[in-house]
Amino acid sequence: MFLPLPTPVPGSSPVSSGAPGAPSEADLLAFAQRAAADAQLVSSLPLDPQGRTWMRLNGPGDSEAWLIGWPPGSGTGWHDHGGSHGALAVAGGVLTEHSLAAPMPTDGWKTLELADGIDRERRLSEGRGRAFGTHHVHQVLNASAEQHAVSVHAYYPPLPLMRRYSRTGQVLRLEQVEWPQEWA
């Protein structure tokens, strides 16, 4: 398979993101871009016209990585990555990322009123990517009505959880916490 590194075991204790030898955001972005450029890898992902598809990859330095297929009109909703930093790169199509340009607290709140001017939007086309820090909250979507998108995502430490949010205007609400065993 692509880059023969060990795949983290779900439920194992993640290593602190400051651990010696831990992949940086730049390392994760470089990996995601290399994987997104691997035509054989990208073509091995089955695409479903109704729902997202995914395949786990071996990421650098005990990171977690995923190849994801996005049918037209699909998206993630607002979420964070449980304190992991990461990166994503687009292998095909175009993805739109809506994010908040402020570090978000990850614990201790259920409803948060957002300040004006922190919304950001990025359109990422084939070959483009971005890295993000540990307090990143965003949503990603394929706004195309006709074309699938494919992307590679990498996280370190491996995702301990994901928090899902709803958003109404400037109010962000914690709705759900997902655990790794739910993504198997």
Side-chain angles (χ1 to χ4, degrees):
M1 166 92 62
F2 190 78
L3 293 180
L5 297 171
T7 299
V9 176
S12 64
S13 298
V15 178
S16 157
S17 61
S24 67
E25 292 169 22
D27 295 332
L28 295 175
L29 179 58
F31 168 82
Q33 289 175 316
R34 282 193 313 273
D38 183 333
Q40 183 177 358
L41 174 67
V42 171
S43 68
S44 72
L45 180 68
L47 299 178
D48 182 330
Q50 302 301 314
R52 285 189 296 155
T53 55
W54 55 87
M55 181 169 58
R56 189 166 188 157
L57 304 176
N58 298 319
D62 293 328
S63 65
E64 173 175 19
W66 299 89
L67 178 65
I68 302 174
W70 306 77
S74 65
T76 62
W78 288 96
H79 67 280
D80 71 21
H81 304 99
S84 295
H85 63 264
L88 68 99
V90 176
V94 176
L95 291 175
T96 301
E97 180 198 35
H98 296 273
S99 63
L100 304 174
M104 301 301 295
T106 55
D107 287 318
W109 63 276
K110 298 232 186 234
T111 302
L112 191 64
E113 187 166 346
L114 303 172
D116 289 333
I118 67 168
D119 287 293
R120 298 293 182 267
E121 180 178 311
R122 288 179 181 82
R123 286 179 42 89
L124 300 169
S125 55
E126 186 173 331
R128 303 282 316 265
R130 76 170 323 281
F132 49 85
T134 58
H135 296 279
H136 189 66
V137 174
H138 70 165
Q139 66 177 350
V140 178
L141 57 102
N142 176 5
S144 172
E146 299 173 0
Q147 183 180 7
H148 262 81
V150 177
S151 58
V152 176
H153 302 246
Y155 309 99
Y156 188 87
L159 296 174
L161 59 92
M162 284 179 64
R163 293 176 195 86
R164 299 235 173 242
Y165 305 98
S166 64
R167 182 166 180 192
T168 304
Q170 294 301 100
V171 177
L172 194 66
R173 284 187 180 80
L174 175 63
E175 298 291 343
Q176 178 182 4
V177 177
E178 292 179 2
W179 303 96
Q181 50 273 36
E182 296 175 48
W183 312 318

